[in-house]
């Protein structure tokens, strides 16, 4: 099966970019709701509706949720691309629907999605509320889990551009985790199923994004929802959609989310999962904080009358302005950038740094500056 061709055919064109709100997905849910498959399961803190969508009649029950963190929208896009496949009427769709029953909460945190924040409207991280269940969104997730009784859980997230695949210099475009179920991080039957599934998906992804798949840290935290569900005996897979080169809108990354979803379900439906994939799982390099968005090397600065050569880096902050996400670059590190990489690297070749303040780069300062007499940088990029 050509998964790229399948993605291009079923990509949901109505949702693009990073800012995906409830209003964007409600028409899609309405389109899918041909036989009462879509239901309102409750409301958010700010009284926005939270939906679940159920489709299929197979024995293997799959529970999936996205945008638990409101500003993590890439997996929501990939999920709707996949749901388009399920609604296509194709032979492959029928195979999946006869094998699986899918229950999806495509946007658990609609308030956070609207505000473009990680937290909900009460400023609570829902992924740290799986035990206390203080928030209505957390309670709805748990109630749906208990009623649906899944065989597998898919916990769908985004991760920041700072993550790379070990020390390879490659960005972690997708990362996975089979969460621990106890403090000792032991592997039981349930966790092994998640490990085997990740190993299978990774083998497929390596054909598309070689060396750009990472493994997330498995430190145990029972307050995290994945750890809780794994602790309750349900194999749980954490997805973390990350950066692909020059893809800050994450339109390329959504394709690999789609590839992972489709390939994983294809492997499960054909019972083609390896029996003990822990070696392959552990061979996936662990995520490491090694990237800056923008890196400037060999920059000359005039410091107290002395000219020195240094480096500095800038990072984008995603800021919601008038309903759009703006990527605003701020200086974040000055000096030794050893063992770090930049998604974009500029060699100043000892040109003199100047800005409109005191001609010294400072942490948290907007990345607007000059190098030499002719090169102006605006928002971190050279002005053409």
């Amino acid at each position: 099966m050509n998964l790229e061709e399948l993605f291009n055919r079923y990509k949901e064109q109505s949702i693009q970019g990073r800012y995906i709100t409830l209003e964007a997905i409600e028409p899609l849910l309405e389109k899918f709701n041909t036989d009462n498959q879509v239901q309102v399961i409750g409301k958010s803190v700010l009284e926005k509706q939270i939906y679940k969508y159920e489709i299929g009649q197979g024995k293997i029950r799959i529970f999936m949720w996205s945008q638990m963190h409101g500003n993590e929208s890439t997996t929501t896009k990939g999920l709707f691309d996949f749901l388009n496949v399920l609604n296509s009427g194709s032979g492959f769709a029928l195979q999946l629907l006869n094998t699986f029953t899918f229950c999806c909460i495509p946007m658990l945190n609609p308030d956070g999605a609207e505000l473009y924040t990680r937290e909900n409207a009460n400023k609570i991280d829902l992924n740290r509320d799986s035990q206390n269940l203080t928030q209505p969104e957390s309670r709805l997730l748990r109630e749906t889990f208990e009623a649906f009784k899944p065989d597998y859980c898919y916990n769908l997230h985004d991760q920041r551009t700072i993550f790379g695949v070990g020390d390879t210099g490659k960005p972690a475009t997708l990362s996975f985790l089979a969460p621990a179920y106890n403090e000792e991080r032991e592997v039981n039957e349930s966790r092994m199923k998640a490990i085997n599934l990740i190993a299978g998906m990774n083998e497929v992804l390596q054909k598309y994004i070689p060396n750009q798949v990472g493994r997330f840290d498995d430190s145990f935290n029972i307050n995290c929802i994945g750890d809780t569900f794994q602790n309750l005996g349900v194999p749980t897979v954490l997805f973390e959609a990350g950066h692909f080169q020059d893809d800050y809108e994450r339109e390329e990354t959504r394709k690999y989310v789609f590839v992972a979803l489709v390939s994983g379900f294809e492997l499960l439906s054909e019972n083609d999962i390896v029996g003990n994939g822990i070696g392959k799982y552990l061979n996936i390099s662990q995520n490491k904080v090694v990237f800056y968005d923008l890196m400037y090397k060999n920059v000359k600065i005039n410091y107290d009358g002395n000219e020195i050569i240094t480096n500095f880096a800038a990072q984008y902050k995603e800021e919601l302005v008038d309903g759009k996400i703006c990527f605003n670059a701020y200086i974040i590190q000055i000096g030794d950038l050893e063992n770090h990489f930049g998604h974009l690297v500029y060699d100043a070749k000892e040109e003199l740094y100047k800005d409109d303040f005191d001609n010294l780069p400072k942490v948290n300062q907007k990345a607007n500056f000059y190098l030499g007499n002719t090169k102006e940088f605006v928002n971190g990029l050279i002005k053409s």
Side-chain angles (χ1 to χ4, degrees):
M1 183 184 299
N2 187 324
L3 295 181
E4 283 192 289
E5 182 181 297
L6 194 72
F7 169 77
N8 291 331
R9 189 185 315 158
Y10 293 110
K11 179 180 179 181
E12 180 49 59
Q13 300 293 340
S14 70
I15 50 176
Q16 304 274 341
R18 298 294 285 274
Y19 190 47
I20 308 297
T21 64
L22 183 63
E23 288 72 19
I25 70 168
E26 282 181 319
L28 302 176
L29 292 172
E30 184 176 346
K31 178 182 71 174
F32 291 153
N33 195 24
T34 57
D35 191 24
N36 201 36
Q37 301 101 318
V38 178
Q39 295 181 357
V40 176
I41 57 174
K43 291 187 177 181
S44 67
V45 172
L46 297 181
E47 297 292 307
K48 289 185 178 293
Q49 291 184 326
I50 297 175
Y51 297 90
K52 77 167 183 179
Y53 172 60
E54 198 166 316
I55 186 172
Q57 54 280 336
K59 291 183 179 179
I60 304 174
R61 301 173 71 79
I62 307 291
F63 184 35
M64 312 167 75
W65 63 96
S66 183
Q67 267 177 284
M68 165 176 272
H69 296 141
N71 60 354
E72 298 181 1
S73 58
T74 308
T75 48
T76 300
K77 294 186 293 186
L79 176 59
F80 275 100
D81 300 333
F82 173 67
L83 293 179
N84 280 343
V85 174
L86 294 183
N87 282 275
S88 68
S90 67
F92 180 59
L94 294 176
Q95 174 190 334
L96 294 180
L97 295 174
N98 286 326
T99 304
F100 303 103
T101 300
F102 297 95
C103 178
C104 309
I105 300 178
M107 186 175 287
L108 182 65
N109 182 5
D111 299 341
E114 183 76 23
L115 298 168
Y116 202 70
T117 62
R118 177 182 174 88
E119 301 161 332
N120 75 345
N122 286 334
K123 299 190 181 302
I124 299 296
D125 184 340
L126 299 178
N127 203 28
R128 300 295 184 272
D129 191 41
S130 69
Q131 292 297 303
N132 294 331
L133 300 174
T134 65
Q135 302 304 299
E137 300 93 343
S138 306
R139 292 192 289 272
L140 289 170
L141 181 67
R142 183 62 175 268
E143 289 164 6
T144 306
F145 168 85
E146 291 177 346
F148 183 66
K149 296 180 173 56
D151 296 299
Y152 286 87
C153 288
Y154 280 62
N155 187 9
L156 305 175
H157 288 266
D158 277 40
Q159 65 182 0
R160 296 172 61 198
T161 59
I162 60 176
F163 289 105
V165 177
D167 294 311
T168 64
K170 296 280 191 177
T173 300
L174 272 186
S175 296
F176 295 101
L177 175 66
Y181 75 93
N182 63 4
E183 290 281 358
E184 293 74 26
R185 297 185 286 185
E186 295 172 319
V187 176
N188 59 2
E189 181 182 357
S190 171
R191 192 180 183 200
M192 181 60 78
K193 287 182 178 179
I195 285 170
N196 291 339
L197 179 54
I198 291 169
M201 290 189 292
N202 178 57
E203 286 195 342
V204 176
L205 284 165
Q206 290 302 321
K207 301 171 186 175
Y208 296 89
I209 44 172
N211 302 314
Q212 289 183 223
V213 178
R215 178 167 50 87
F216 215 72
D217 175 65
D218 68 347
S219 298
F220 180 69
N221 184 348
I222 194 62
N223 296 305
C224 294
I225 194 66
D227 301 54
T228 290
F229 287 169
Q230 196 86 274
N231 179 265
L232 292 170
V234 179
T236 299
V237 175
L238 171 72
F239 274 58
E240 294 279 356
H243 188 66
F244 185 87
Q245 295 86 333
D246 302 320
D247 180 37
Y248 282 91
E249 297 295 335
R250 299 214 168 152
E251 288 301 303
E252 190 72 13
T253 298
R254 78 187 283 182
K255 175 168 69 177
Y256 304 119
V257 172
F258 175 88
V259 166
L261 290 172
V262 171
S263 62
F265 292 130
E266 186 176 25
L267 290 168
L268 280 175
S269 70
E270 296 174 357
N271 198 26
D272 199 20
I273 299 289
V274 295
N276 187 346
I278 192 163
K280 293 180 178 180
Y281 175 74
L282 293 176
N283 280 336
I284 301 172
S285 293
Q286 193 160 324
N287 267 15
K288 197 170 181 181
V289 178
V290 290
F291 268 98
Y292 297 110
D293 289 318
L294 305 157
M295 187 181 285
Y296 311 91
K297 291 187 170 183
N298 304 311
V299 179
K300 182 186 291 184
I301 63 172
N302 193 322
Y303 187 75
D304 284 343
N306 297 315
E307 289 187 341
I308 63 173
I309 306 301
T310 189
N311 313 292
F312 66 94
Q315 199 74 19
Y316 288 122
K317 289 184 181 178
E318 299 161 28
E319 298 176 329
L320 181 61
V321 180
D322 296 329
K324 294 183 178 179
I325 303 305
C326 298
F327 293 86
N328 292 321
Y330 295 86
I331 295 171
I332 193 172
Q333 182 70 34
I334 303 162
D336 182 14
L337 304 181
E338 191 177 354
N339 300 321
H340 281 75
F341 306 94
H343 293 301
L344 185 149
V345 180
Y346 186 86
D347 186 350
K349 298 179 180 177
E350 301 190 3
E351 290 186 293
L352 184 65
Y353 174 95
K354 300 177 184 177
D355 60 32
D356 293 331
F357 303 100
D358 54 9
N359 297 325
L360 289 172
K362 290 183 173 63
V363 172
N364 297 325
Q365 180 175 292
K366 281 292 294 287
N368 298 328
F369 56 90
Y370 306 86
L371 289 176
N373 296 319
T374 59
K375 299 181 181 69
E376 180 181 4
F377 288 74
V378 177
N379 198 33
L381 301 175
I382 193 166
K383 187 176 180 180
S384 57

